Amino acid sequence: MKLALTSLAVLGACAALAACTPPVPDTGAADYAQFCASCHGPAGKGDGPAARGLRPPATDLTLLAQGNGGSFPRLRVMNRIDGYTMGMSDSPMPQFGQELREGPTVLFDAGDGVPTPTPARLVALTEHLERLQQ
């Protein structure tokens, strides 16, 4: 019972905090243009001018959901953008975590039901990539 009341209090505090947080402008498209389009191309197809000669080639970002059983892999995408791949990648993709941590955070639920403070720009960029899916 005590745990349930504590959990309820924490959820209430999170909701109150979220209600007081000013809306964050959608920077996803602008950050994509600045950090991603040179390799992944303006439409996310992996055909940007800097992609020529990359090995492995730049990923076609419009097919991420298709390659994940039809579900956009939000957390995996955010980890890759941030640079949190734990050495399991041979990709030449740079890490953008430092740049995207500048500014406010938002409560983001990666699908596990736990809202976690996350850089707003990282969330916005991920949502922009989700909108590019075919």
Side-chain angles (χ1 to χ4, degrees):
M1 180 68 174
K2 185 176 181 180
L3 180 60
L5 290 175
T6 303
S7 297
L8 189 56
V10 169
L11 285 175
C14 287
L17 180 61
C20 295
T21 305
V24 177
D26 182 0
T27 59
D31 281 337
Y32 179 85
Q34 180 179 356
F35 299 121
C36 312
S38 62
C39 289
H40 296 285
K45 297 284 190 179
D47 58 355
R52 290 184 203 101
L54 282 180
R55 294 293 171 249
T59 301
D60 181 339
L61 300 174
T62 67
L63 302 176
L64 295 174
Q66 182 180 331
N68 193 54
S71 176
F72 185 74
R74 284 182 196 90
L75 194 54
R76 191 174 79 219
V77 168
M78 292 172 84
N79 285 338
R80 174 68 76 152
I81 293 168
D82 186 65
Y84 187 73
T85 57
M86 309 246 330
M88 298 185 304
S89 172
D90 60 351
S91 171
M93 183 173 152
Q95 300 174 3
F96 295 107
Q98 278 301 111
E99 293 86 349
L100 297 175
R101 284 188 199 111
E102 296 172 5
T105 60
V106 295
L107 293 175
F108 177 75
D109 180 353
D112 59 2
V114 180
T116 305
T118 307
R121 290 176 66 191
L122 178 58
V123 172
L125 179 53
T126 302
E127 289 173 346
H128 176 74
L129 294 175
E130 189 167 9
R131 289 189 294 271
L132 295 179
Q133 299 309 292
Q134 294 182 0

